[in-house]
Amino acid sequence: MKKLLLVALLSISTTMALQAQGSFKFGVTGGLLNSNGDIDISVLGIDIANIDAVNKTGFYIGAVADLGVSESFHIQPELTYGSAGDLAYFYLPVMAKYYIIPKLYAMAGPQLSFSSNLDDIKDTIQDIDDITGANTNLDDVLRTVGIDLGFGAGFDILDNLSAQARYSFELTNRYTGPISNSLTIRASTFNLGVAYFF
């Protein structure tokens, strides 16, 4: 949680420092979230199984900012909370937005994800752990922080209201246990929602 607060404060400070250089808007965002957790098992570098551990729909909600660097290029940092089934995350994406035509934009950028509940994934890992006999403490072998890459598109319905769709996938392996060379856990999310700016 301390890391989350530090990153959030750093993002807010950076946004405020850049505010003087371009247009700035602050608001709220929320909508539907589909969360997918995949577990890949390999032997000697050859994939032998892919387990779709979690595929559930929930919601996300949070704060959003928009910094207009130029007329067609904006930076959009967010701090959101998402929940789907027994998966829950805090997300900190920083999206670069490029307006293809007026009102329609594409977005892409990095995202940090902080897990607050991975029970669905833990249940599946426990089954694998029992088979392999690793007998690990699952809280000790699952990373709470992941690095994602997101991309999507949006449309400005009004000057202060945008509809957005975004897909993000994890670049890091959440599993750090004794069979980490053969076991990979990665999450992906699809967001469909709106951003309202004050």
Side-chain angles (χ1 to χ4, degrees):
M1 190 55 108
K2 288 180 182 178
K3 290 180 184 177
L4 175 62
L5 291 174
L6 180 63
V7 173
L9 288 174
L10 181 61
S11 296
I12 291 168
S13 299
T14 303
T15 301
M16 290 175 70
L18 293 172
Q19 180 177 357
Q21 299 178 9
S23 65
F24 178 79
K25 297 187 290 187
F26 180 78
V28 292
T29 184
L32 293 175
L33 167 75
N34 179 265
S35 188
N36 188 41
D38 286 330
I39 300 173
D40 293 320
I41 302 171
S42 62
V43 174
L44 301 173
I46 300 169
D47 290 338
I48 59 169
N50 178 281
I51 302 167
D52 192 13
V54 181
N55 190 344
K56 295 187 177 177
T57 300
F59 70 94
Y60 74 96
I61 189 167
V64 60
D66 182 280
L67 175 66
V69 179
S70 70
E71 190 173 331
S72 59
F73 182 71
H74 293 228
I75 296 173
Q76 180 174 298
E78 301 176 14
L79 178 58
T80 61
Y81 170 78
S83 177
D86 286 333
L87 287 182
Y89 291 92
F90 286 97
Y91 298 101
L92 183 61
V94 180
M95 295 289 118
K97 292 168 49 175
Y98 180 76
Y99 279 83
I100 304 163
I101 57 174
K103 297 185 177 289
L104 179 66
Y105 57 87
M107 66 171 73
Q111 171 177 279
L112 291 178
S113 57
F114 304 85
S115 61
S116 59
N117 188 347
L118 296 174
D119 286 348
D120 279 349
I121 290 178
K122 286 180 183 178
D123 290 344
T124 305
I125 292 296
Q126 185 64 61
D127 294 340
I128 295 170
D129 218 36
D130 292 342
I131 294 169
T132 63
N135 295 322
T136 55
N137 181 345
L138 298 181
D139 290 324
D140 294 337
V141 298
L142 290 177
R143 285 189 175 103
T144 57
V145 179
I147 299 172
D148 309 341
L149 182 62
F151 58 91
F155 184 79
D156 293 337
I157 301 167
L158 302 170
D159 286 343
N160 61 344
L161 181 65
S162 288
Q164 302 181 129
R166 184 186 310 152
Y167 176 78
S168 62
F169 58 93
E170 199 158 31
L171 302 174
T172 50
N173 182 3
R174 290 277 178 165
Y175 182 76
T176 62
I179 54 172
S180 60
N181 291 335
S182 300
L183 187 66
T184 304
I185 301 174
R186 289 191 175 97
S188 61
T189 56
F190 177 73
N191 297 13
L192 183 62
V194 296
Y196 178 80
F197 297 96
F198 303 112

mmCIF file of all heavy atoms in Angstrom, residues 53-79:
data_model
loop_
_atom_site.group_PDB
_atom_site.id
_atom_site.type_symbol
_atom_site.label_atom_id
_atom_site.label_comp_id
_atom_site.label_asym_id
_atom_site.label_seq_id
_atom_site.Cartn_x
_atom_site.Cartn_y
_atom_site.Cartn_z
ATOM 1 N N ALA A 53 -7.661 -19.448 -15.660
ATOM 2 C CA ALA A 53 -8.009 -19.537 -14.242
ATOM 3 C C ALA A 53 -9.181 -18.642 -13.882
ATOM 4 O O ALA A 53 -10.013 -19.004 -13.054
ATOM 5 C CB ALA A 53 -6.796 -19.178 -13.382
ATOM 6 N N VAL A 54 -9.241 -17.469 -14.478
ATOM 7 C CA VAL A 54 -10.294 -16.509 -14.163
ATOM 8 C C VAL A 54 -10.727 -15.805 -15.442
ATOM 9 O O VAL A 54 -9.898 -15.413 -16.257
ATOM 10 C CB VAL A 54 -9.804 -15.435 -13.162
ATOM 11 C CG1 VAL A 54 -10.917 -14.459 -12.817
ATOM 12 C CG2 VAL A 54 -9.252 -16.066 -11.911
ATOM 13 N N ASN A 55 -12.024 -15.679 -15.620
ATOM 14 C CA ASN A 55 -12.566 -14.853 -16.702
ATOM 15 C C ASN A 55 -13.908 -14.332 -16.206
ATOM 16 O O ASN A 55 -14.932 -14.967 -16.385
ATOM 17 C CB ASN A 55 -12.719 -15.666 -17.986
ATOM 18 C CG ASN A 55 -13.049 -14.774 -19.170
ATOM 19 O OD1 ASN A 55 -13.453 -13.620 -19.019
ATOM 20 N ND2 ASN A 55 -12.864 -15.306 -20.361
ATOM 21 N N LYS A 56 -13.858 -13.172 -15.553
ATOM 22 C CA LYS A 56 -15.052 -12.644 -14.908
ATOM 23 C C LYS A 56 -15.235 -11.165 -15.220
ATOM 24 O O LYS A 56 -14.277 -10.456 -15.503
ATOM 25 C CB LYS A 56 -14.988 -12.859 -13.397
ATOM 26 C CG LYS A 56 -15.015 -14.337 -13.029
ATOM 27 C CD LYS A 56 -15.132 -14.566 -11.549
ATOM 28 C CE LYS A 56 -15.229 -16.070 -11.262
ATOM 29 N NZ LYS A 56 -15.284 -16.362 -9.830
ATOM 30 N N THR A 57 -16.484 -10.734 -15.145
ATOM 31 C CA THR A 57 -16.821 -9.345 -15.428
ATOM 32 C C THR A 57 -17.205 -8.644 -14.134
ATOM 33 O O THR A 57 -17.876 -9.212 -13.276
ATOM 34 C CB THR A 57 -17.981 -9.271 -16.434
ATOM 35 O OG1 THR A 57 -17.566 -9.923 -17.636
ATOM 36 C CG2 THR A 57 -18.331 -7.828 -16.751
ATOM 37 N N GLY A 58 -16.746 -7.402 -14.013
ATOM 38 C CA GLY A 58 -17.041 -6.611 -12.832
ATOM 39 C C GLY A 58 -17.097 -5.138 -13.192
ATOM 40 O O GLY A 58 -17.659 -4.761 -14.221
ATOM 41 N N PHE A 59 -16.457 -4.315 -12.392
ATOM 42 C CA PHE A 59 -16.519 -2.875 -12.595
ATOM 43 C C PHE A 59 -15.167 -2.241 -12.281
ATOM 44 O O PHE A 59 -14.305 -2.849 -11.643
ATOM 45 C CB PHE A 59 -17.583 -2.248 -11.686
ATOM 46 C CG PHE A 59 -17.193 -2.265 -10.230
ATOM 47 C CD1 PHE A 59 -16.555 -1.175 -9.645
ATOM 48 C CD2 PHE A 59 -17.441 -3.382 -9.442
ATOM 49 C CE1 PHE A 59 -16.172 -1.195 -8.316
ATOM 50 C CE2 PHE A 59 -17.070 -3.409 -8.101
ATOM 51 C CZ PHE A 59 -16.431 -2.316 -7.534
ATOM 52 N N TYR A 60 -14.992 -1.000 -12.736
ATOM 53 C CA TYR A 60 -13.865 -0.186 -12.306
ATOM 54 C C TYR A 60 -14.360 1.230 -12.068
ATOM 55 O O TYR A 60 -15.342 1.676 -12.658
ATOM 56 C CB TYR A 60 -12.722 -0.211 -13.331
ATOM 57 C CG TYR A 60 -12.973 0.592 -14.585
ATOM 58 C CD1 TYR A 60 -12.499 1.895 -14.709
ATOM 59 C CD2 TYR A 60 -13.683 0.044 -15.652
ATOM 60 C CE1 TYR A 60 -12.728 2.633 -15.869
ATOM 61 C CE2 TYR A 60 -13.910 0.771 -16.800
ATOM 62 C CZ TYR A 60 -13.433 2.062 -16.905
ATOM 63 O OH TYR A 60 -13.661 2.794 -18.034
ATOM 64 N N ILE A 61 -13.682 1.943 -11.174
ATOM 65 C CA ILE A 61 -14.043 3.314 -10.839
ATOM 66 C C ILE A 61 -12.798 4.023 -10.329
ATOM 67 O O ILE A 61 -11.924 3.386 -9.733
ATOM 68 C CB ILE A 61 -15.177 3.347 -9.789
ATOM 69 C CG1 ILE A 61 -15.684 4.771 -9.608
ATOM 70 C CG2 ILE A 61 -14.726 2.731 -8.467
ATOM 71 C CD1 ILE A 61 -16.986 4.853 -8.835
ATOM 72 N N GLY A 62 -12.701 5.327 -10.592
ATOM 73 C CA GLY A 62 -11.532 6.036 -10.102
ATOM 74 C C GLY A 62 -11.441 7.469 -10.594
ATOM 75 O O GLY A 62 -12.425 8.059 -11.053
ATOM 76 N N ALA A 63 -10.241 8.012 -10.483
ATOM 77 C CA ALA A 63 -9.962 9.397 -10.871
ATOM 78 C C ALA A 63 -9.165 9.407 -12.168
ATOM 79 O O ALA A 63 -8.376 8.495 -12.448
ATOM 80 C CB ALA A 63 -9.180 10.104 -9.769
ATOM 81 N N VAL A 64 -9.369 10.454 -12.971
ATOM 82 C CA VAL A 64 -8.698 10.577 -14.266
ATOM 83 C C VAL A 64 -8.307 12.035 -14.479
ATOM 84 O O VAL A 64 -8.975 12.945 -13.992
ATOM 85 C CB VAL A 64 -9.614 10.066 -15.419
ATOM 86 C CG1 VAL A 64 -10.900 10.870 -15.477
ATOM 87 C CG2 VAL A 64 -8.905 10.075 -16.748
ATOM 88 N N ALA A 65 -7.219 12.248 -15.192
ATOM 89 C CA ALA A 65 -6.792 13.595 -15.559
ATOM 90 C C ALA A 65 -6.456 13.608 -17.038
ATOM 91 O O ALA A 65 -6.190 12.560 -17.643
ATOM 92 C CB ALA A 65 -5.588 14.024 -14.724
ATOM 93 N N ASP A 66 -6.493 14.784 -17.632
ATOM 94 C CA ASP A 66 -6.151 14.929 -19.045
ATOM 95 C C ASP A 66 -5.276 16.168 -19.192
ATOM 96 O O ASP A 66 -5.690 17.269 -18.825
ATOM 97 C CB ASP A 66 -7.412 15.077 -19.898
ATOM 98 C CG ASP A 66 -7.077 15.192 -21.377
ATOM 99 O OD1 ASP A 66 -6.702 16.299 -21.822
ATOM 100 O OD2 ASP A 66 -7.182 14.171 -22.085
ATOM 101 N N LEU A 67 -4.069 15.952 -19.692
ATOM 102 C CA LEU A 67 -3.135 17.047 -19.917
ATOM 103 C C LEU A 67 -2.925 17.208 -21.414
ATOM 104 O O LEU A 67 -2.392 16.310 -22.073
ATOM 105 C CB LEU A 67 -1.802 16.762 -19.226
ATOM 106 C CG LEU A 67 -0.697 17.782 -19.480
ATOM 107 C CD1 LEU A 67 -1.069 19.131 -18.860
ATOM 108 C CD2 LEU A 67 0.613 17.291 -18.922
ATOM 109 N N GLY A 68 -3.390 18.332 -21.961
ATOM 110 C CA GLY A 68 -3.229 18.584 -23.388
ATOM 111 C C GLY A 68 -1.862 19.156 -23.687
ATOM 112 O O GLY A 68 -1.588 20.331 -23.405
ATOM 113 N N VAL A 69 -0.977 18.340 -24.228
ATOM 114 C CA VAL A 69 0.360 18.792 -24.601
ATOM 115 C C VAL A 69 0.285 19.622 -25.877
ATOM 116 O O VAL A 69 0.953 20.643 -26.026
ATOM 117 C CB VAL A 69 1.311 17.591 -24.784
ATOM 118 C CG1 VAL A 69 2.696 18.044 -25.203
ATOM 119 C CG2 VAL A 69 1.373 16.772 -23.494
ATOM 120 N N SER A 70 -0.547 19.176 -26.812
ATOM 121 C CA SER A 70 -0.833 19.923 -28.032
ATOM 122 C C SER A 70 -2.292 19.656 -28.395
ATOM 123 O O SER A 70 -2.989 18.944 -27.678
ATOM 124 C CB SER A 70 0.103 19.501 -29.177
ATOM 125 O OG SER A 70 -0.202 18.194 -29.612
ATOM 126 N N GLU A 71 -2.734 20.195 -29.503
ATOM 127 C CA GLU A 71 -4.131 19.999 -29.891
ATOM 128 C C GLU A 71 -4.457 18.533 -30.143
ATOM 129 O O GLU A 71 -5.538 18.054 -29.815
ATOM 130 C CB GLU A 71 -4.446 20.829 -31.144
ATOM 131 C CG GLU A 71 -5.924 20.863 -31.475
ATOM 132 C CD GLU A 71 -6.250 21.815 -32.622
ATOM 133 O OE1 GLU A 71 -5.531 22.806 -32.793
ATOM 134 O OE2 GLU A 71 -7.214 21.523 -33.351
ATOM 135 N N SER A 72 -3.500 17.795 -30.695
ATOM 136 C CA SER A 72 -3.771 16.401 -31.049
ATOM 137 C C SER A 72 -3.139 15.384 -30.098
ATOM 138 O O SER A 72 -3.438 14.196 -30.176
ATOM 139 C CB SER A 72 -3.298 16.111 -32.475
ATOM 140 O OG SER A 72 -1.907 16.369 -32.599
ATOM 141 N N PHE A 73 -2.268 15.833 -29.187
ATOM 142 C CA PHE A 73 -1.585 14.897 -28.292
ATOM 143 C C PHE A 73 -1.866 15.253 -26.838
ATOM 144 O O PHE A 73 -1.648 16.391 -26.410
ATOM 145 C CB PHE A 73 -0.079 14.899 -28.549
ATOM 146 C CG PHE A 73 0.684 13.916 -27.702
ATOM 147 C CD1 PHE A 73 0.572 12.558 -27.922
ATOM 148 C CD2 PHE A 73 1.498 14.364 -26.671
ATOM 149 C CE1 PHE A 73 1.260 11.643 -27.140
ATOM 150 C CE2 PHE A 73 2.197 13.466 -25.882
ATOM 151 C CZ PHE A 73 2.078 12.105 -26.122
ATOM 152 N N HIS A 74 -2.372 14.273 -26.073
ATOM 153 C CA HIS A 74 -2.689 14.450 -24.660
ATOM 154 C C HIS A 74 -2.084 13.305 -23.860
ATOM 155 O O HIS A 74 -1.813 12.232 -24.392
ATOM 156 C CB HIS A 74 -4.208 14.449 -24.446
ATOM 157 C CG HIS A 74 -4.915 15.614 -25.039
ATOM 158 N ND1 HIS A 74 -5.842 16.342 -24.337
ATOM 159 C CD2 HIS A 74 -4.846 16.195 -26.267
ATOM 160 C CE1 HIS A 74 -6.322 17.305 -25.095
ATOM 161 N NE2 HIS A 74 -5.739 17.221 -26.276
ATOM 162 N N ILE A 75 -1.907 13.554 -22.566
ATOM 163 C CA ILE A 75 -1.481 12.507 -21.634
ATOM 164 C C ILE A 75 -2.599 12.330 -20.615
ATOM 165 O O ILE A 75 -3.101 13.308 -20.066
ATOM 166 C CB ILE A 75 -0.165 12.868 -20.934
ATOM 167 C CG1 ILE A 75 0.962 12.965 -21.973
ATOM 168 C CG2 ILE A 75 0.182 11.830 -19.867
ATOM 169 C CD1 ILE A 75 2.268 13.476 -21.423
ATOM 170 N N GLN A 76 -2.993 11.063 -20.378
ATOM 171 C CA GLN A 76 -4.112 10.779 -19.479
ATOM 172 C C GLN A 76 -3.690 9.799 -18.378
ATOM 173 O O GLN A 76 -3.706 8.591 -18.570
ATOM 174 C CB GLN A 76 -5.290 10.194 -20.267
ATOM 175 C CG GLN A 76 -6.497 9.876 -19.395
ATOM 176 C CD GLN A 76 -7.686 9.435 -20.212
ATOM 177 O OE1 GLN A 76 -8.206 10.187 -21.030
ATOM 178 N NE2 GLN A 76 -8.120 8.190 -20.001
ATOM 179 N N PRO A 77 -3.296 10.318 -17.195
ATOM 180 C CA PRO A 77 -3.040 9.427 -16.056
ATOM 181 C C PRO A 77 -4.340 9.121 -15.324
ATOM 182 O O PRO A 77 -5.272 9.934 -15.323
ATOM 183 C CB PRO A 77 -2.090 10.257 -15.179
ATOM 184 C CG PRO A 77 -2.419 11.669 -15.494
ATOM 185 C CD PRO A 77 -2.929 11.708 -16.911
ATOM 186 N N GLU A 78 -4.397 7.943 -14.710
ATOM 187 C CA GLU A 78 -5.585 7.530 -13.960
ATOM 188 C C GLU A 78 -5.155 6.793 -12.696
ATOM 189 O O GLU A 78 -4.052 6.263 -12.620
ATOM 190 C CB GLU A 78 -6.462 6.582 -14.789
ATOM 191 C CG GLU A 78 -6.971 7.143 -16.087
ATOM 192 C CD GLU A 78 -7.747 6.118 -16.910
ATOM 193 O OE1 GLU A 78 -8.118 5.062 -16.356
ATOM 194 O OE2 GLU A 78 -7.962 6.371 -18.100
ATOM 195 N N LEU A 79 -6.033 6.753 -11.729
ATOM 196 C CA LEU A 79 -5.886 5.886 -10.569
ATOM 197 C C LEU A 79 -7.251 5.267 -10.338
ATOM 198 O O LEU A 79 -8.200 5.955 -9.973
ATOM 199 C CB LEU A 79 -5.435 6.660 -9.336
ATOM 200 C CG LEU A 79 -5.296 5.822 -8.048
ATOM 201 C CD1 LEU A 79 -4.300 4.679 -8.235
ATOM 202 C CD2 LEU A 79 -4.901 6.686 -6.872
#
